[in-house]
Amino acid sequence: MSCDFLSLARPGVQKLSPYVPGKPVEELAREFGLRPQDIVKLASNENPLGPSPAVREAIAAALPELTRYPDGNGFALKQALAAKSGVNTAGITLGNGSNDILELVARAFVGPEHEVVFSDHAFAVYPIVTQAVGAKAVSVPAKDWGHDLDAMAAAITPSTRVVFIANPNNPTGTWIERDALEAFLDRVPENVIVVLDEAYTEYVETDDVPNGVDYLGRYSNLLVSRTFSKAYGLAALRVGYGLSHPAIADALNRVRQPFNVNSLALAAALAALEDEAYLIESRRINRIGMQQLEEGCAALGLSWIPSRGNFLAIDLGREAAPVFQGLLREGVIVRPVANYGMSNYLRVTVGLPAENQRFLDALKQVLARV
Ligand SMILES: *Cc1c(COP(=O)(O)O)cnc(C)c1O
């Protein structure tokens, strides 16, 4: 290579570690000579139920229009989201996954002169979008693996432009309660945008986790991001959205690619939103699977971080990497989280009961061996 192109990248980009996704089933099948149908993937917090029949039908119905550009304004989906959330369509931004929303916030509002605050052990995309725009990433030490909102508020300086908060957080599963969130929002200056990432909100069944939408009226600097990738079961299609003051949505829509959400994703998301039964079943499967995983871990003498998401961070009390490798050999893909500063932990997505059992059985075997 004649030129060191990485040296041409922005300094923040040079220092970034690329996002590490969960290992695809096909890749593991190739590496270990396994059959894809014998592999269990509990690595990316996807919905184990597969897409709802209503979604498949909506996609089939949208196929004849593939030669046309999608509706760049997502009119029908925004109408449905507005009806469901109570947020006016002018305050809705559609994204190619909610990751797109996070990136739009950085691109629209943050420059090299700014700081972006988030928590240690928080979602890996926050440092990526921050450093990509040349801003300074300020990662605040966590408290009991969760966001320390007092410390995060204290970390805000006149240079801070955005704060990212995940509630519940991935990969820890930790959550922020109503009083703590309100006290934090009260402390944040109005010119600092708070992104409340609620990727797992549809899985929350307890009333100790606030709904960010309830605060949009009171805090005009708040943006709530949501996704169809998790409980709605549409990770492959890439569709998410932001709910905010219309002025924030206006800025995001100026930098957004005109057709960032494709037409199959728009049709599928609309159908998913109307399929309440699928969501109820997803929550039920998650509830029983979470209990199964917790009981299985307890039986193995392992502890975990209590979670309000569809995944569990399990403390192996030792380096998790060899256990992760051992599980791969058993055809079970979970997620190592050393890149989140959690080298003794594995994050496991709640699957179907048989998948959870496969994982627990394999874990027992591997722990006895390595
Ligand atoms: C999975 C996840 C998302 C969703 O990403 P998409 O781009 O919508 O698939 C966002 N935030 C967190 C914390 C997540 O874990």
Side-chain angles (χ1 to χ4, degrees):
M1 191 163 66
S2 53
C3 179
D4 176 9
F5 289 106
L6 191 56
S7 72
L8 302 180
R10 289 165 173 277
V13 173
Q14 293 182 40
K15 280 189 237 121
L16 266 178
S17 336
Y19 181 83
V20 187
K23 200 180 200 44
V25 167
E26 292 70 24
E27 190 180 312
L28 183 66
R30 276 198 305 275
E31 279 178 18
F32 290 89
L34 299 167
R35 297 189 310 169
Q37 62 268 36
D38 293 335
I39 292 173
V40 168
K41 186 186 178 211
L42 302 173
S44 300
N45 302 345
E46 296 140 330
N47 190 321
L49 287 176
S52 89
V55 161
R56 289 175 194 247
E57 270 174 42
I59 290 174
L63 287 176
E65 298 302 323
L66 279 188
T67 55
R68 307 279 174 207
Y69 278 103
D71 173 5
N73 289 316
F75 179 81
L77 180 56
K78 280 192 189 176
Q79 289 286 324
L81 287 169
K84 197 156 185 115
S85 68
V87 176
N88 193 287
T89 53
I92 301 176
T93 309
L94 299 183
N96 191 269
S98 59
N99 278 293
D100 193 21
I101 301 294
L102 307 177
E103 189 178 328
L104 291 176
V105 169
R107 293 221 325 268
F109 290 102
V110 185
E113 68 278 28
H114 294 132
E115 297 174 1
V116 173
V117 172
F118 45 82
S119 174
D120 282 359
H121 321 299
F123 189 42
V125 168
Y126 310 152
I128 292 177
V129 301
T130 299
Q131 288 173 240
V133 296
K136 181 177 170 199
V138 178
S139 189
V140 176
K143 197 162 94 185
D144 301 328
W145 298 108
H147 290 49
D148 182 346
L149 290 184
D150 282 337
M152 290 177 73
I156 293 172
T157 73
S159 301
T160 306
R161 190 42 72 76
V162 171
V163 179
F164 285 113
I165 292 176
N167 198 30
N169 182 45
N170 169 24
T172 58
T174 50
W175 64 96
I176 293 160
E177 301 195 348
R178 195 164 276 108
D179 291 353
L181 181 67
E182 282 182 27
F184 174 78
L185 291 171
D186 282 335
R187 280 179 72 179
V188 178
E190 206 183 21
N191 65 340
V192 174
I193 295 168
V194 176
V195 176
L196 190 61
D197 179 347
E198 295 189 333
Y200 299 95
T201 190
E202 295 86 4
Y203 278 115
V204 172
E205 296 196 271
T206 53
D207 55 16
D208 53 358
V209 185
N211 178 345
V213 174
D214 295 343
Y215 298 98
L216 288 172
R218 204 180 328 161
Y219 303 98
S220 56
N221 56 336
L222 179 65
L223 179 136
V224 175
S225 72
R226 300 264 177 94
T227 183
F228 285 93
S229 297
K230 305 286 160 55
Y232 285 110
L234 301 181
L237 286 175
R238 317 302 307 126
V239 49
Y241 57 98
L243 305 171
S244 67
H245 190 281
I248 293 181
D250 178 29
L252 300 184
N253 276 302
R254 289 173 192 225
V255 293
R256 181 177 67 80
Q257 285 186 34
F259 305 107
N260 61 334
V261 184
N262 72 74
S263 50
L264 301 187
L266 288 171
L270 189 57
L273 208 55
E274 287 164 0
D275 192 349
E276 193 62 32
Y278 179 84
L279 214 53
I280 290 169
E281 177 63 1
S282 300
R283 278 195 279 263
R284 188 186 71 83
I285 288 289
N286 193 53
R287 194 184 321 129
I288 61 173
M290 184 69 85
Q291 190 179 353
Q292 184 187 6
L293 288 178
E294 290 181 344
E295 287 172 4
C297 288
L300 293 171
L302 300 173
S303 59
W304 59 87
I305 304 173
S307 169
R308 288 282 185 269
N310 66 335
F311 56 90
L312 199 58
I314 300 171
D315 184 3
L316 300 181
R318 58 197 277 187
E319 255 330 285
V323 179
F324 167 68
Q325 291 296 335
L327 288 169
L328 287 183
R329 253 169 235 114
E330 301 289 327
V332 176
I333 312 175
V334 297
R335 188 66 154 270
V337 282
N339 57 325
Y340 286 92
M342 304 173 71
S343 59
N344 283 4
Y345 284 77
L346 287 176
R347 191 196 67 194
V348 182
T349 303
V350 177
L352 300 172
E355 297 175 317
N356 301 328
Q357 200 54 53
R358 266 285 302 281
F359 161 70
L360 289 168
D361 292 345
L363 182 62
K364 185 175 182 179
Q365 291 208 5
V366 172
L367 286 175
R369 207 165 58 218
V370 301

